[in-house]
Amino acid sequence: MTDLTVSDLAVNYGPVRALSGLSLRVPAGSIVAVLGANGAGKTTLLRAVSGTLRFHRGLARGMITFGEARLSGLSAAAVVGRGIVQVPEGRRVFARMTVEENLRAGGLGRSRKDAHRARDQVHELFPVLRERAGQRAGLLSGGEQQMLAIGRALMADPAALLLDEPTLGLAPLVAARIVETIKEINARGTSVLLVEQNVAMALSLASYAYVLEVGEVALEGTAAELAASDEVRRRYLGIADAVEGQLVARTLPRWSA
Amino acid sequence: MITFLELLVNGISIGAVYALIALGFVVIFKATEVVNFAHASLLLAGGYLVARLHPYVGFWAALLIGIAAAAVIGALIEFLIIRRANVASHSVLAIVTIGVDIVLTTELTRQIGTEVLAVGDPWADSVVRIGGVTIAETRIVALVTATLLISAFLLAFKYTGWGVAMRATAEDAETAALMGIRLGRVSLSAWAVAGGLAAVAAVFLCVFPTPGLDRSTSLAAIKAFPAAILGGLDSTTGALVGGLVVGVTEAMMSGYQNDLAFLGRGIGDVAPFLVMIVILLIRPAGLFGTKELARV
């Protein structure tokens, strides 16, 4: 089966090490989440998979494979050709192009007929993209831009979708809509690697999750295990339970000092 | 009045030719963010081949070969130099293109020597009279050809997959790559198209009333620089308007230079640059250029 496997990945930006010794696996057809604070290396991980490190002068060592195919060292376009497409953080729609042209840009590598069929599926998933087909993408709302960014990635008919903080900066209702869509896309057989700071949301979607801290995997487990873990609850879910007392006790002296 | 009309038509015609050159310049800049200072030498190379080959294969075949050769030279510059130069900044690449320009131009001027080469076009020095206005046929052909080529280009830019890939890359190269667009191909095709357009422009810079192709022809191409810059370096519309502004300004200033004697002789050659400076003072991004936008 086509599992996405990252083994012993290390990434440097010049002298700065962003990731070290990172290994993870996205089994075919699953949703796997990567959690962590800003600067933990989540985006770097996606860049390494999608072949865009070179845009940031980053250098990767280690092995990334998708099924039998080796992804390390491939250009971004070649990675897309292997069936892995990334939706970048901050949506990055082509603002000066129309919604329709944005979708077309996502399906350029395919035959006219396939691209046409993919576009119909995207329209079905996001009817608003059909209504706004002729509008400039820069004029869409944040939620619509996120839908366009996901739709644009789906145009290449990916076997695995990489999502970088897809609900960042969206209103709760819109975010919930995006979450539903991710489930729907996954239900159609596409694997999803989801990078998120919103831990509650990510754990509700994913079956397995990794927690990154300063470039290394600090914790991993099934979503249920992680959601139940004290560490995750305290640090990421803001649920302190019994630990609250200790925390206060530990911080107070510093404040009074 | 008659003089004015003649100057206007000639200005528009030469402006359309400048627009062809400026368009190539803009396409390269959009696709690769490189300011291509080697453009004048591409143009000279295309024109030189047409001039040398037409006695043997006829004008039309020579024209096609010239266009193809300039496109190939453009593609080679991209493939052998621009793509492989591992530099952090696009300004460094711009300086690299100055080097390429010097090498190519030096070799071509050595080949041309002191000759003035005819390009062998079929229109020669015939003129058309409409009312009292006399216009060289070459000027009309130049205008029509440039209009057709520019329209074809803009349609392709708007509607074909190539155009979509080009615009996506111009807007956000990294995201374009994430969508599977091959940046190398986009950049290669931009250089090839620019080279081909420059070769066509070269022919129309050398036909009547110009005596022919000589070592200074590439200087004429340099007037397309202000055209591209005053229109806005990243705007195809800007290239067209900029070309026309430069062409008409130059024709008018040269045509009326006896009335403008206090400005000195040869003001027509300087005027495009003056117009460029004035426009940049008022609109620093050029007439149609994108202002630098901060990401929110």
Side-chain angles (χ1 to χ4, degrees):
Chain A
M1 281 304 284
T2 38
D3 295 359
L4 177 63
T5 316
V6 174
S7 32
D8 205 23
L9 178 70
V11 176
N12 284 31
Y13 296 108
V16 181
R17 168 149 291 198
L19 285 180
S20 53
L22 187 140
S23 299
L24 61 76
R25 203 167 73 88
V26 184
S30 68
I31 301 185
V32 168
V34 172
L35 313 171
N38 268 332
K42 306 187 300 293
T43 297
T44 298
L45 165 67
L46 292 193
R47 281 180 190 154
V49 176
S50 63
T52 48
L53 272 177
R54 67 197 68 188
F55 289 92
H56 304 271
R57 314 221 124 221
L59 208 64
R61 273 179 299 115
M63 188 71 152
I64 303 171
T65 53
F66 187 58
E68 297 294 300
R70 194 189 154 133
L71 299 184
S72 344
L74 292 184
S75 74
V79 171
V80 173
R82 302 286 188 284
I84 296 138
V85 183
Q86 182 187 346
V87 180
E89 182 186 352
R91 310 184 269 274
R92 310 259 297 250
V93 296
F94 301 118
R96 277 179 271 163
M97 292 162 56
T98 67
V99 170
E100 187 67 25
E101 287 168 346
N102 267 271
L103 290 182
R104 207 170 155 203
L108 283 177
R110 313 183 66 197
S111 73
R112 190 176 286 258
K113 208 176 96 209
D114 287 349
H116 223 266
R117 204 173 45 225
R119 198 196 57 196
D120 287 345
Q121 283 173 357
V122 169
H123 280 164
E124 196 183 306
L125 203 58
F126 302 112
V128 67
L129 297 184
R130 183 189 285 132
E131 290 156 29
R132 306 254 157 134
Q135 210 171 81
R136 278 188 177 210
L139 300 176
L140 300 180
S141 73
E144 288 163 348
Q145 287 192 7
Q146 185 64 57
M147 293 178 199
L148 178 56
I150 296 177
R152 185 180 59 180
L154 290 178
M155 288 295 293
D157 191 25
L161 197 60
L162 314 177
L163 295 171
D164 196 350
E165 311 229 12
T167 61
L168 188 72
L170 298 184
L173 270 181
V174 184
R177 173 76 214 284
I178 298 291
V179 168
E180 284 312 306
T181 317
I182 296 171
K183 278 186 196 157
E184 209 174 319
I185 293 167
N186 178 245
R188 294 179 187 184
T190 307
S191 321
V192 175
L193 177 58
L194 172 68
V195 157
E196 261 297 342
Q197 287 197 56
N198 182 343
V199 173
M201 185 278 261
L203 291 181
S204 76
L205 262 176
S207 53
Y208 200 88
Y210 297 81
V211 179
L212 291 196
E213 255 170 46
V214 278
E216 293 179 45
V217 175
L219 268 178
E220 61 174 288
T222 65
E225 278 165 18
L226 286 183
S229 118
D230 281 345
E231 176 124 14
V232 171
R233 284 161 74 86
R234 193 174 69 233
R235 296 172 87 149
Y236 298 103
L237 295 175
I239 305 167
D241 295 343
V243 192
E244 199 168 27
Q246 292 171 15
L247 267 180
V248 172
R250 253 195 287 139
T251 39
L252 267 181
R254 250 198 289 163
W255 282 104
S256 52
Chain B
M1 190 60 203
I2 300 267
T3 324
F4 177 80
L5 281 178
E6 282 176 3
L7 289 175
L8 185 67
V9 173
N10 282 329
I12 291 176
S13 168
I14 193 73
V17 175
Y18 289 149
L20 281 180
I21 308 170
L23 197 58
F25 206 68
V26 167
V27 166
I28 289 179
F29 184 76
K30 276 177 90 85
T32 59
E33 282 178 53
V34 175
V35 180
N36 175 24
F37 288 105
H39 215 74
S41 62
L42 277 180
L43 179 139
L44 192 60
Y48 174 75
L49 280 172
V50 178
R52 279 286 184 230
L53 292 176
H54 79 87
Y56 308 106
V57 296
F59 172 73
W60 294 107
L63 179 65
L64 285 180
I65 296 172
I67 293 171
V72 168
I73 295 172
L76 280 177
I77 294 176
E78 195 279 339
F79 191 74
L80 297 178
I81 300 167
I82 303 295
R83 187 176 295 197
R84 282 163 220 285
N86 182 24
V87 293
S89 149
H90 294 296
S91 356
V92 176
L93 283 179
I95 294 168
V96 169
T97 64
I98 297 181
V100 172
D101 186 66
I102 292 172
V103 171
L104 261 176
T105 308
T106 309
E107 176 55 23
L108 285 165
T109 37
R110 194 177 69 84
Q111 296 285 342
I112 296 167
T114 52
E115 284 180 81
V116 177
L117 304 167
V119 289
D121 63 290
W123 306 288
D125 58 355
S126 26
V127 293
V128 180
R129 287 194 179 75
I130 306 162
V133 185
T134 311
I135 299 156
E137 257 181 32
T138 52
R139 296 296 104 208
I140 295 172
V141 178
L143 183 58
V144 171
T145 312
T147 310
L148 287 177
L149 278 177
I150 290 167
S151 313
F153 174 85
L154 290 181
L155 286 174
F157 208 58
K158 177 86 185 125
Y159 294 108
T160 64
W162 173 79
V164 171
M166 201 78 166
R167 283 183 291 146
T169 307
E171 203 169 311
D172 182 345
E174 183 181 354
T175 306
L178 276 180
M179 295 305 114
I181 291 168
R182 289 170 206 217
L183 301 190
R185 270 195 206 176
V186 167
S187 149
L188 194 75
S189 66
W191 281 80
V193 165
L197 290 177
V200 177
V203 169
F204 288 113
L205 285 176
C206 301
V207 292
F208 182 78
T210 319
L213 181 110
D214 60 26
R215 55 207 299 177
S216 69
T217 298
S218 65
L219 294 181
I222 287 171
K223 286 178 201 139
F225 281 88
I229 289 166
L230 74 86
L233 205 44
D234 62 351
S235 163
T236 44
T237 321
L240 307 188
V241 175
L244 292 179
V245 168
V246 168
V248 172
T249 309
E250 187 194 19
M252 290 294 170
M253 290 299 220
S254 310
Y256 290 114
Q257 67 173 334
N258 289 334
D259 304 318
L260 299 168
F262 62 98
L263 291 172
R265 309 290 297 176
I267 185 68
D269 291 334
V270 185
F273 292 91
L274 293 177
V275 174
M276 174 184 79
I277 290 169
V278 171
I279 288 180
L280 289 186
L281 284 174
I282 302 166
R283 290 184 64 96
L287 291 174
F288 297 89
T290 319
K291 294 183 194 74
E292 200 66 46
L293 292 175
R295 264 195 73 196
V296 203

